[in-house]
Amino acid sequence: MTFIRAEKVGESGLRTTSTILVLLVILLFSGCAPQKASIQRYFWPVASEHPKIEFVGAVSTDRDVRQGEEGWLMETLLGIEEPEPIFVSPYDVASDGKGRVYVSDIAQNDVMILDFAAHKVRHFERPDQDDLFFVSPMGLAVAPDGGVYVSDNVQGRIYLFDAQGRVKKIFGQNILIRPTGLAFDTVGGRVYVADPGLHQIVTFTADGVWQKTLGKRGVAPGEFNYPLDLDVDVEGNLYVLDSMNARVQVFDTEGSFLRSFGERGTSLGSFQMAKGIAVDRSGHVYVTDAIGHRFVIFDLMGTHLMTLGGRTTTQGKLGVPGGFDMPKGVDADGTDAIWVVDSLNRMAHRYQFLNEKYLQEHPIRPEDVVLPEALQ
């Protein structure tokens, strides 16, 4: 064996040395591994010939976001640095479908930006004045131009950040009381805000100018009892999670009531404590049930299609496919990726509706399909 002695190692030399070490480790392990190892993939309905949903993964530490970054593989293989937990009490989630996922954390009074393209966890830029930054961020929504809306449940207002993460506008003061869920309507160019303190839905322009208020407290169609979240379909129809009435109410672009669906209960098509709602581009409605530790899937007309989940306490382990402990926020982005906040397990799960484009890029091999641990 020949040893090479270096008097001084620069940055490029260190990078080369690290690369060589990583290659050696990879070669060492690859020599012991089978040539065509099976990739574990988890689908729902379980054991179906026509699966609809796939578990993609979960994010709980900075290492989950840093995958692909230079030096990440070395640290992972050799354990040079311990992964840092990201969340304490995550609440809501919003994805731009382009590699950035936003998660609000009510314990940290912050919003985490999971920037998978840059391989890092970032934060919004904080202004010099503390009163121009949120105190209790909850609801999230992403606009087509990259702007991000954040509701502050304590301050009773909405923050709009530009694509660079700077505060662009603050609005809703003296109108909102306890805002939670947000939705950006690309058809109407407006922002919907769920305010359970008012038992109403409040509409603003994209720039934060008040337009109108929808509903009042009650149980009749068009009335609400603690509406917590909402979303908009591709045609601009509004879906409101009327939480304490245990239903979803649907309105057209003018705010006229169309229909409602859902019920309180423990059956597969019902929910005990609904927390979040999302509508994907392929025509599905997702509702998280915190007490049921699952999410329920409907079509746009309210027909129950599937219920996915069950209680699992990870205790610091990796996310368990189909296992939750008090799921809250949910979001479906333009790629039909489904993000679910797993609040007590302190992580965010990513699922995927198996649309045609995704299946073309990720064909299913029978040998890769495994039964979720939560169901074993």
Side-chain angles (χ1 to χ4, degrees):
M1 181 179 291
T2 303
F3 292 90
I4 300 176
R5 182 172 181 270
E7 297 297 334
K8 184 177 181 181
V9 181
E11 182 179 345
S12 61
L14 286 172
R15 186 158 50 240
T16 302
T17 302
S18 298
T19 302
I20 292 172
L21 286 172
V22 170
L23 289 173
L24 287 173
V25 173
I26 292 174
L27 288 171
L28 175 63
F29 284 96
S30 64
C32 303
Q35 293 298 313
K36 292 185 179 180
S38 177
I39 302 171
Q40 293 188 335
R41 298 177 68 181
Y42 305 86
F43 299 96
W44 286 263
V46 174
S48 170
E49 294 183 359
H50 304 286
K52 301 298 183 182
I53 303 289
E54 178 175 6
F55 173 79
V56 178
V59 178
S60 62
T61 71
D62 62 336
R63 185 173 289 174
D64 299 324
V65 180
R66 289 176 50 216
Q67 293 186 32
E69 176 193 45
E70 183 179 355
W72 163 81
L73 182 57
M74 167 72 87
E75 294 175 9
T76 301
L77 291 173
L78 303 182
I80 295 174
E81 290 187 9
E82 288 294 322
E84 291 290 333
I86 300 174
F87 311 116
V88 177
S89 183
Y91 183 85
D92 198 15
V93 59
S95 167
D96 68 359
K98 302 174 183 177
R100 290 183 182 178
V101 178
Y102 303 83
V103 181
S104 60
D105 192 307
I106 56 178
Q108 300 186 73
N109 299 326
D110 202 357
V111 174
M112 315 303 171
I113 306 173
L114 313 182
D115 193 336
F116 293 98
H119 308 291
K120 63 177 64 176
V121 180
R122 301 190 296 105
H123 304 265
F124 288 120
E125 184 177 314
R126 182 179 290 272
D128 294 333
Q129 296 176 252
D130 287 340
D131 62 344
L132 297 180
F133 206 65
F134 38 64
V135 173
S136 181
M138 295 189 75
L140 301 165
V142 181
D145 64 358
V148 181
Y149 296 84
V150 182
S151 68
D152 191 300
N153 186 253
V154 170
Q155 294 178 322
R157 57 192 186 184
I158 309 300
Y159 288 83
L160 170 57
F161 293 86
D162 62 22
Q164 288 69 47
R166 299 177 297 238
V167 176
K168 181 179 179 181
K169 183 165 289 188
I170 302 172
F171 61 92
Q173 304 95 318
N174 303 319
I175 298 175
L176 304 170
I177 296 179
R178 305 285 290 185
T180 52
L182 298 172
F184 188 89
D185 174 20
T186 56
V187 175
R190 53 194 166 191
V191 180
Y192 289 109
V193 182
D195 192 329
L198 294 170
H199 304 283
Q200 293 177 325
I201 306 304
V202 185
T203 308
F204 297 89
T205 66
D207 290 329
V209 178
W210 178 86
Q211 289 186 319
K212 62 181 179 180
T213 300
L214 178 65
K216 63 179 182 178
R217 191 170 193 179
V219 298
E223 298 178 346
F224 307 105
N225 191 11
Y226 290 96
L228 289 182
D229 200 10
L230 33 67
D231 204 357
V232 182
D233 67 18
V234 293
E235 296 182 351
N237 297 312
L238 175 65
Y239 295 70
V240 179
L241 181 60
D242 188 7
S243 183
M244 293 306 292
N245 282 331
R247 65 185 178 184
V248 175
Q249 295 198 63
V250 187
F251 302 86
D252 66 15
T253 57
E254 301 302 318
S256 298
F257 174 82
L258 295 176
R259 60 187 174 274
S260 66
F261 57 88
E263 61 181 2
R264 190 183 314 281
T266 58
S267 64
L268 292 181
S270 62
F271 24 80
Q272 300 173 69
M273 183 183 289
K275 284 289 187 178
I277 188 171
V279 183
D280 71 12
R281 298 183 65 83
S282 294
H284 306 101
V285 181
Y286 305 91
V287 177
T288 55
D289 181 2
I291 292 182
H293 310 286
R294 59 192 186 179
F295 63 92
V296 187
I297 308 173
F298 303 90
D299 66 16
L300 297 182
M301 299 306 296
T303 301
H304 173 243
L305 301 176
M306 190 189 318
T307 297
L308 194 161
R311 188 174 189 182
T312 301
T313 302
T314 63
Q315 297 179 343
K317 299 186 298 182
L318 296 175
V320 175
F324 303 99
D325 197 358
M326 293 289 286
K328 292 184 178 177
V330 58
D331 186 54
D333 64 27
T335 69
D336 284 341
I338 308 153
W339 287 89
V340 182
V341 168
D342 189 357
S343 63
L344 295 188
N345 283 325
R346 302 180 181 182
M347 61 180 60
H349 294 243
R350 179 184 173 183
Y351 292 80
Q352 177 70 44
F353 172 70
L354 302 181
N355 57 38
E356 184 177 346
K357 183 176 185 297
Y358 183 83
L359 284 174
Q360 288 177 349
E361 297 173 352
H362 306 84
I364 300 173
R365 300 188 309 171
E367 60 269 29
D368 295 339
V369 179
V370 295
L371 185 66
E373 181 179 329
L375 300 176
Q376 296 182 17

